[in-house]
């Protein structure tokens, strides 16, 4: 992630910068640094490894750094380990250009080689040092203005960046440039502010400029000039920040979807804990008697969209652990189809909102047929929660992004609890086995956190692939279930066509769509099925597919076949998709961001579908 701040005014800059960085610390905290210039004197650069507090200590809360113009950075390491050496700001060999950066320079290796050939040396492992030295190179080569030099560099750089630069020969100015990484600028009382996000400057100004992709800014004291990639001056209208509840609840995340992806460990833990009594999974509180559970001959799971995908996964878990036949039905089909419904059946309706029209109608149909009904619902007091005979509330909290993430994960864990509990009640799994499963489930929140720590790699991959026209997802068993969700996430927010296929089914027609460079994402968490899926990967690869593998740590052979592999922690295969879904959500998110789309409010969609 990383957070950047900048200040050019009349007050001491260091205090303003450190205060801004405090508001952005959620974006990264493995090291931080500031560079401050006092008129024409050389800049003072101070960096510290670890939390921002270390930098504050080192600078006596900014008091030891003098100057009214400066930039700052809080880092979440991508290129190079967390260390003072890799911390920003970075500077050119002679201190001519100093800068901070949030984003990823994809072609930094190629650029570094060019600079090495031109006599530059490198002291850090970061892509940022390369970008700054590239600007320095063009500044000296063409002897133009900073804007000219930055323009030349931006044409060569591939990737994402929010860059702030200071030039020795322009001591009272900061230069900024942006592509695909957030950055705002603000002005008040003859002073200027720059930040990755609004909270960092809100106490100074509510008048902000949203700089566009491939645009630059020259930031003086209280005046900002914007430029396009040709170096021509452009106008950007200021916007007044009028914090509404919705924006305030983003807690600093750029989108609700990303915030909610990060809330999944809590959503999963809270939902699980609601189902645990005295150290055991115990759902007696739902009101289904043990006798009713033992007599069940059939379960129907009925839902729409992502909730339906939870049903597809739950089919595997419930059949395997509780030994009850399960049919998964789309609510819009179930409600109109004649189905000879089995007696002693339980109909489980899964719905985040509890208001989805088709799901509600399906529930009513089941009740008309005198079948027992159980709602897995997130919104308390919603129609499905009120009308179902029994309710298992997921504890995901309010979900605002249209693309569901934390509600899906909470539904999944609820279904896992039902499978384990029904399995124990029916004597299909022992209490010891139930305890083992509970252990595995309890580890999931921490494991999800671990996956989230590595999201920059997926951001990088997504930025390279986001121009794809068609993406195919393949997997077997429960991996197939999670590919359905991965594919829906991708299409609903990034508008890239994608399809999920049971890996063995692809060759029955769809494989004809695979051509040179088609992205195929293969999920391999089901140990017993990995070899089979690898064979299917080889089949598509030999027809030109570009392969991404998503598997558990240890399955390193996948790298022999896949062009890009991403790993999740190991767990019991019944629960692995609770982990596998996270990289797929992130991938969809980063695809949408790279394509400049409204992640939280995709076109044509609504959060709650209350019409059929
Ligand atoms: O509120 P529900 O869970 O009943 O909603 C069902 C679907 O509309 C929902 O999952 C939809 O598919 C999401 N937009 C997927 O991200």
């Amino acid at each position: 992630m990383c957070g950047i701040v900048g200040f050019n005014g009349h007050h001491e800059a260091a205090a303003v910068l450190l205060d801004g960085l405090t508001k952005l610390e959620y974006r990264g905290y493995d090291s931080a640094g500031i560079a401050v210039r006092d008129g024409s004197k050389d800049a003072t650069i101070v960096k510290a490894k670890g939390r921002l507090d270390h930098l504050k200590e080192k600078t006596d809360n900014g008091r030891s750094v003098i100057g009214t113009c400066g930039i700052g950075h809080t880092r979440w390491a991508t290129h190079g380990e967390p260390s003072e050496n890799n911390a920003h700001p970075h500077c050119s060999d002679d201190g001519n250009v100093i800068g901070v950066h949030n984003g990823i320079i994809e072609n930094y290796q190629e650029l570094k080689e060019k600079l090495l050939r031109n006599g530059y040396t490198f002291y850090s492992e970061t892509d940022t040092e390369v970008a700054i030295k590239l600007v320095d190179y063009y500044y000296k080569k063409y002897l133009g203005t900073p804007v000219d030099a930055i323009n030349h560099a931006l044409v060569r750089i591939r990737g994402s960046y929010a860059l702030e630069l200071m030039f020795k020969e322009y001591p009272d100015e900061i230069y900024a440039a942006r592509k695909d990484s957030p950055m705002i600028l603000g002005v008040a009382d003859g002073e200027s502010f720059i930040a990755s996000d609004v909270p960092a400057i809100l106490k100074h100004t509510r008048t902000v400029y949203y700089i566009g992709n491939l645009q630059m800014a020259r930031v003086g004291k209280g005046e900002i000039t914007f430029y396009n990639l040709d170096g021509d001056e452009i106008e950007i209208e200021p916007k007044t920040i009028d914090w509404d509840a919705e924006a305030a609840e983003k807690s600093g995340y750029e989108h609700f979807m990303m915030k909610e992806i990060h809330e999944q460990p809590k959503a999963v833990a809270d939902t699980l804990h609601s189902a645990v009594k005295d150290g055991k999974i115990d759902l007696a509180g739902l009101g289904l008697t043990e006798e009713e559970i033992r007599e069940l001959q059939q379960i129907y799971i009925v839902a729409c969209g992502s909730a339906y995908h939870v049903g597809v996964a739950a089919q595997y878990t419930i059949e395997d652990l509780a030994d009850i036949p399960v049919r998964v039905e789309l609510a819009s089909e179930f409600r109109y189809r004649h189905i000879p419904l089995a007696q002693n059946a339980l109909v489980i309706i899964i719905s985040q909102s509890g208001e989805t029209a088709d799901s509600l109608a399906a529930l009513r149909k089941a009740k008309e047929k005198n079948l027992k009904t159980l709602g897995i619902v997130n919104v308390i007091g919603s129609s499905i929660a009120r009308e179902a005979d029994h309710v298992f509330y997921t504890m995901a909290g309010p979900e605002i992004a249209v693309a569901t993430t934390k509600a899906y994960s909470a539904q999944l864990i609820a279904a896992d609890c039902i499978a384990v509990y029904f399995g124990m009640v029916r004597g299909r799994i022992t209490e010891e086995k139930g305890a083992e499963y509970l252990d595995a489930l309890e580890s999931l929140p921490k494991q999800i956190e671990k996956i989230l720590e590595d999201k920059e790699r997926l951001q990088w991959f997504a930025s390279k692939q986001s121009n794809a026209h068609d993406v195919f997802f393949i997997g077997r068993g429960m991996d197939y279930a999670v590919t359905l969700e991965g594919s829906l996430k991708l299409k609903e927010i990034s508008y890239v066509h994608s399809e999920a296929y049971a890996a063995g089914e692809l060759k029955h027609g769809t494989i004809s769509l695979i051509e040179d460079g088609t992205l195929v994402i293969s999920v391999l968490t089901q140990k017993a099925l990995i070899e089979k899926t690898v064979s299917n990967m080889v089949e598509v690869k030999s027809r030109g597919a570009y392969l991404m593998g998503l598997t558990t740590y240890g399955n390193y052979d996948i790298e022999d076949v896949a062009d890009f592999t991403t790993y999740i922690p190991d767990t019991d295969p019944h629960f692995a998709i609770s982990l596998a879904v996270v990289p797929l959500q992130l991938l969809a998110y980063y695809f949408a961001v790279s394509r400049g789309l409204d992640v939280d409010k995709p076109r044509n969609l609504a959060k709650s579908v209350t019409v059929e």
Side-chain angles (χ1 to χ4, degrees):
M1 297 241 269
C2 304
I4 62 168
V5 290
F7 172 73
N8 193 4
H10 307 294
H11 290 87
E12 288 298 324
V16 180
L17 297 174
L18 290 173
D19 183 63
L21 289 176
T22 308
K23 304 281 186 331
L24 297 179
E25 213 183 357
Y26 72 90
R27 303 181 67 87
Y29 40 80
D30 60 41
S31 59
I34 54 174
V36 174
R37 183 161 266 146
D38 189 22
S40 56
K41 291 206 188 101
D42 279 348
T44 308
I45 299 178
V46 190
K47 310 199 259 187
K49 186 181 168 192
R51 301 251 167 172
L52 191 58
D53 281 346
H54 298 179
L55 182 65
K56 288 182 179 168
E57 269 168 39
K58 213 168 167 180
T59 60
D60 188 19
N61 274 320
R63 283 185 282 268
S64 68
V65 183
I66 306 301
T68 55
C69 178
I71 55 180
H73 187 268
T74 178
R75 180 169 187 248
W76 193 90
T78 54
H79 296 78
E81 57 166 11
S83 68
E84 199 170 307
N85 196 41
N86 286 329
H88 302 210
H90 288 287
C91 63
S92 59
D93 296 354
D94 56 2
N96 180 43
V97 183
I98 299 171
V100 295
H101 162 229
N102 167 32
I104 293 178
I105 311 294
E106 288 163 18
N107 56 337
Y108 81 103
Q109 275 300 1
E110 162 200 326
L111 298 172
K112 188 172 182 175
E113 276 154 32
K114 169 189 170 68
L115 290 166
L116 284 167
R117 284 195 299 275
N118 282 280
Y120 282 83
T121 57
F122 289 86
Y123 58 85
S124 79
E125 300 153 85
T126 64
D127 52 347
T128 304
E129 188 189 351
V130 175
I132 285 159
K133 291 186 174 173
L134 190 70
V135 173
D136 180 66
Y137 167 78
Y138 285 120
Y139 184 71
K140 288 171 179 154
K141 179 170 178 182
Y142 294 114
L143 299 173
T145 64
V147 169
D148 296 333
I150 297 168
N151 265 340
H152 278 108
L154 297 193
V155 170
R156 291 297 307 269
I157 287 173
R158 287 200 304 276
S160 58
Y161 46 81
L163 263 176
E164 288 178 308
L165 301 162
M166 298 200 299
F167 291 73
K168 201 177 204 163
E169 289 165 352
Y170 295 80
D172 289 323
E173 288 173 356
I174 300 172
Y175 290 82
R178 166 180 184 269
K179 177 176 172 273
D180 293 336
S181 292
M183 177 158 64
I184 51 156
L185 299 96
V187 178
D189 305 327
E191 300 187 308
S192 302
F193 305 86
I194 312 171
S196 297
D197 200 359
V198 173
I201 63 172
L202 200 58
K203 80 186 219 197
H204 305 289
T205 180
R206 285 183 173 265
T207 307
V208 302
Y209 299 91
Y210 288 89
I211 184 172
N213 267 343
L214 294 171
Q215 292 178 349
M216 281 168 296
R218 181 165 57 88
V219 181
K221 291 186 190 300
E223 51 176 18
I224 303 178
T225 315
F226 294 97
Y227 302 87
N228 64 17
L229 198 53
D230 295 322
D232 301 328
E233 279 190 34
I234 52 169
E235 286 295 319
I236 296 182
E237 284 299 311
K239 299 261 186 291
T240 304
I241 298 291
D242 181 15
W243 280 93
D244 54 11
E246 186 190 66
E249 284 164 19
K250 276 186 200 159
S251 312
Y253 286 95
E254 206 175 337
H255 300 102
F256 279 109
M257 183 179 174
M258 191 48 120
K259 174 178 175 253
E260 288 159 5
I261 286 174
H262 279 81
E263 286 171 345
Q264 289 181 112
K266 181 167 167 27
V268 167
D270 290 352
T271 304
L272 177 61
H273 293 151
S274 76
V276 175
K277 308 258 163 349
D278 301 327
K280 291 199 308 191
I281 293 179
D282 180 350
L283 294 175
L286 294 183
L288 282 161
T289 65
E290 294 202 351
E291 196 185 347
E292 282 174 321
I293 294 169
R294 275 194 285 272
E295 283 175 359
L296 285 178
Q297 291 173 347
Q298 176 79 48
I299 289 179
Y300 298 96
I301 301 180
V302 189
C304 301
S306 295
Y308 170 80
H309 298 156
V310 171
V312 176
Q315 177 178 35
Y316 291 96
T317 329
I318 295 174
E319 289 191 339
D320 209 32
L321 302 185
D323 200 24
I324 308 172
V326 178
R327 272 184 73 157
V328 193
E329 300 278 347
L330 289 165
S332 53
E333 291 296 309
F334 181 89
R335 63 183 290 190
Y336 293 117
R337 197 148 63 85
H338 169 72
I339 305 173
L341 296 166
Q343 286 311 303
N344 282 333
L346 174 68
V347 178
I348 301 178
I349 309 284
I350 308 179
S351 175
Q352 187 283 129
S353 61
E355 302 293 349
T356 300
D358 286 322
S359 303
L360 184 57
L363 168 70
R364 288 174 179 161
K365 172 171 175 170
K367 290 188 76 174
E368 271 167 30
K369 302 270 178 196
N370 289 321
L371 297 174
K372 284 183 275 298
T373 57
L374 165 66
I376 299 180
V377 182
N378 195 44
V379 177
I380 296 170
S382 56
S383 301
I384 293 173
R386 281 200 313 269
E387 294 187 29
D389 300 324
H390 310 277
V391 186
F392 187 153
Y393 276 117
T394 49
M395 310 298 275
E399 191 180 61
I400 292 162
V402 165
T404 182
T405 51
K406 62 174 180 170
Y408 169 93
S409 288
Q411 290 163 351
L412 212 49
I413 209 88
D416 291 338
C417 290
I418 289 171
V420 174
Y421 179 64
F422 283 14
M424 288 192 296
V425 169
R426 291 163 64 87
R428 300 307 198 273
I429 53 177
T430 61
E431 298 241 325
E432 291 71 47
K433 197 67 195 164
E436 264 177 45
Y437 288 138
L438 177 57
D439 276 353
L441 290 168
E442 282 186 324
S443 299
L444 291 175
K446 278 261 166 296
Q447 292 175 317
I448 294 172
E449 276 169 17
K450 188 165 163 40
I451 296 167
L452 292 172
E453 281 165 15
D454 196 28
K455 59 182 181 298
E456 296 270 331
R457 255 187 106 235
L458 286 162
Q459 180 180 17
W460 169 82
F461 180 73
S463 68
K464 285 176 64 141
Q465 293 294 324
S466 62
N467 288 329
H469 292 294
D470 300 291
V471 179
F472 293 87
F473 290 77
I474 58 170
R476 286 173 182 256
M478 295 192 73
D479 288 335
Y480 166 57
V482 80
T483 63
L484 291 169
E485 180 60 7
S487 171
L488 178 62
K489 283 284 90 71
L490 185 70
K491 50 193 157 195
E492 77 178 314
I493 58 169
S494 77
Y495 317 151
V496 173
H497 167 254
S498 77
E499 290 189 47
Y501 260 80
E505 183 64 16
L506 206 66
K507 61 169 91 59
H508 295 283
T510 306
I511 201 166
S512 64
L513 293 171
I514 304 293
E515 44 190 47
D516 259 357
T518 306
L519 177 59
V520 178
I521 298 174
S522 181
V523 182
L524 309 106
T525 70
Q526 302 298 299
K527 295 183 174 70
L529 298 168
I530 285 182
E531 273 184 23
K532 302 280 176 201
T533 306
V534 167
S535 303
N536 302 126
M537 290 167 75
V538 172
E539 285 162 10
V540 291
K541 186 161 186 161
S542 63
R543 286 156 180 87
Y546 186 78
L547 279 177
M548 169 178 155
L550 165 52
T551 189
T552 45
Y553 285 108
N555 294 326
Y556 301 119
D557 290 353
I558 301 302
E559 291 189 20
D560 297 340
V561 188
D563 299 287
F564 174 81
T565 309
T566 193
Y567 295 94
I568 55 170
D570 201 8
T571 184
D572 184 283
H574 293 101
F575 314 129
I577 69 164
S578 280
L579 303 177
V581 74
V582 179
L584 299 180
Q585 295 165 342
L586 289 167
L587 202 62
Y589 174 84
Y590 286 128
F591 257 67
V593 170
S594 296
R595 293 162 70 92
L597 299 172
D598 185 345
V599 173
D600 286 334
K601 296 189 186 75
R603 69 186 179 202
N604 305 340
L605 292 177
K607 182 72 184 156
S608 176
V609 183
T610 51
V611 291
E612 67 170 301

